[in-house]
């Protein structure tokens, strides 16, 4: 399809393990965002990529969180040494610069 | 992180009724967006507003960009069961990519 895709759709992991979440943005979109949505909450900004510029990492909650975007397209959000409070839905969105964002379906992460 | 104040937090309505929800900010915004999120899905853009006072419709949905630029309203007319979901507002100032999201209004429609 032509929309934003994310994988896996669901992930269950044990506390202390590392996880990788993947986002495939809409083709041609140079801007990519990661958000976290905790149960019953709004969207919390995590990180923003735009073209070849340095990413805005100001929303990452701790140094256990990191993200990469390879070749200006696919992005991976990595959470190291997961904690139970990391359980949430992780949403990816893409857009043309400063234009409206289109979201993927999210990855539901459960840390046991 | 910073969030907008969105109200009501949740609402139950009868099918066929009209629905109103709003979002307020302490900051002036240049763009307001309204999204709907169905259970288990990502948010889907409903309406985008770019100008103070702008009134825009999308089917049974109508949204307005408040004249003070600190608020926005979304109305749904003649609600139907598929309107169930969470409605989010989002706003941003000019020249920035960072959108601030509201906490959401959870809508449940009783048939």
């Amino acid at each position: 399809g032509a929309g934003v895709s994310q994988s896996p759709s669901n992930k269950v992991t044990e506390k202390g393990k590392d996880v990788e979440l993947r986002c495939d943005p809409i083709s041609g979109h140079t801007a990519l965002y990661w958000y976290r949505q905790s149960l019953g909450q709004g969207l919390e900004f995590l990180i923003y990529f735009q073209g070849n510029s340095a990413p805005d990492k100001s929303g990452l909650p701790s140094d256990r969180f990191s993200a990469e975007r390879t070749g200006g397209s696919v992005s991976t959000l990595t959470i190291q040494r997961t904690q139970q409070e990391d359980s949430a839905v992780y949403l990816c969105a893409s857009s043309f610069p400063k234009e409206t964002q289109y979201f993927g379906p999210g990855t539901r992460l459960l840390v046991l | 992180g910073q969030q907008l104040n969105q109200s009501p937090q949740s609402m139950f309505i009868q099918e066929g009724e009209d629905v109103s929800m709003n979002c307020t900010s302490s900051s002036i915004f240049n763009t307001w967006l309204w999204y709907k999120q169905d259970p288990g899905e990502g948010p889907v853009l409903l309406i985008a507003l770019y100008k103070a006072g702008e009134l825009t419709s999308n089917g049974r949905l109508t949204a307005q960009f408040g004249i003070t630029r600190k608020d926005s309203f979304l109305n749904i007319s003649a609600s139907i069961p598929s309107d169930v979901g969470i409605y989010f507002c989002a706003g941003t100032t000019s020249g920035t990519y960072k959108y601030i999201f509201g906490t959401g209004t959870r809508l449940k429609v009783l048939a």
Side-chain angles (χ1 to χ4, degrees):
Chain A
V4 178
S5 61
Q6 292 186 245
S7 61
S9 54
N10 294 280
K11 177 72 177 177
V12 181
T13 191
E14 294 179 346
K15 177 182 173 181
K17 300 280 189 180
D18 297 352
V19 295
E20 283 190 355
L21 313 179
R22 177 187 167 106
C23 172
D24 284 86
I26 293 172
S27 178
H29 280 185
T30 57
L32 188 147
Y33 306 74
W34 283 98
Y35 294 88
R36 179 169 68 177
Q37 184 178 28
S38 300
L39 185 64
Q41 300 298 312
L43 278 65
E44 175 188 3
F45 168 81
L46 296 178
I47 189 169
Y48 165 79
F49 295 91
Q50 169 51 41
N52 295 321
S53 302
D56 178 348
K57 305 179 181 180
S58 60
L60 296 178
S62 77
D63 58 8
R64 295 186 296 105
F65 288 72
S66 63
E68 291 185 341
R69 189 177 186 193
T70 54
S73 181
V74 171
S75 177
T76 302
L77 177 68
T78 301
I79 309 173
Q80 295 178 309
R81 305 181 302 282
T82 52
Q83 303 295 312
Q84 289 181 332
E85 61 263 29
D86 298 335
S87 297
V89 177
Y90 290 83
L91 291 162
C92 174
S94 72
S95 74
F96 292 112
K98 300 178 184 176
E99 295 196 5
T100 54
Q101 301 168 40
Y102 294 87
F103 284 85
T107 293
R108 282 142 196 83
L109 175 66
L110 177 61
V111 182
L112 300 176
Chain B
Q2 185 179 2
Q3 290 188 323
L4 300 174
N5 183 28
Q6 190 170 347
S7 64
Q9 289 187 329
S10 63
M11 55 195 313
F12 287 84
I13 61 168
Q14 293 286 338
E15 184 177 355
E17 287 184 350
D18 296 344
V19 176
S20 292
M21 60 191 77
N22 70 287
C23 219
T24 58
S25 168
S26 57
S27 305
I28 290 175
F29 287 149
N30 292 82
T31 300
W32 282 97
L33 306 176
W34 283 93
Y35 287 89
K36 183 194 177 199
Q37 185 177 29
D38 290 328
E41 301 293 329
V44 174
L45 183 67
L46 298 174
I47 293 178
L49 303 160
Y50 301 106
K51 188 176 175 182
E54 181 180 354
L55 185 71
T56 298
S57 293
N58 178 8
R60 294 178 297 105
L61 277 64
T62 301
Q64 184 162 24
F65 193 140
I67 198 70
T68 66
R69 294 165 63 192
K70 290 186 176 182
D71 56 10
S72 181
F73 306 87
L74 177 69
N75 296 315
I76 305 172
S77 62
S79 57
I80 60 178
S82 62
D83 290 335
V84 164
I86 305 175
Y87 292 80
F88 289 102
C89 60
T92 189
T93 54
S94 178
T96 179
Y97 51 82
K98 272 190 182 176
Y99 281 86
I100 300 170
F101 282 80
T103 50
T105 293
R106 286 147 189 80
L107 180 64
K108 298 188 179 181
V109 180
L110 305 174

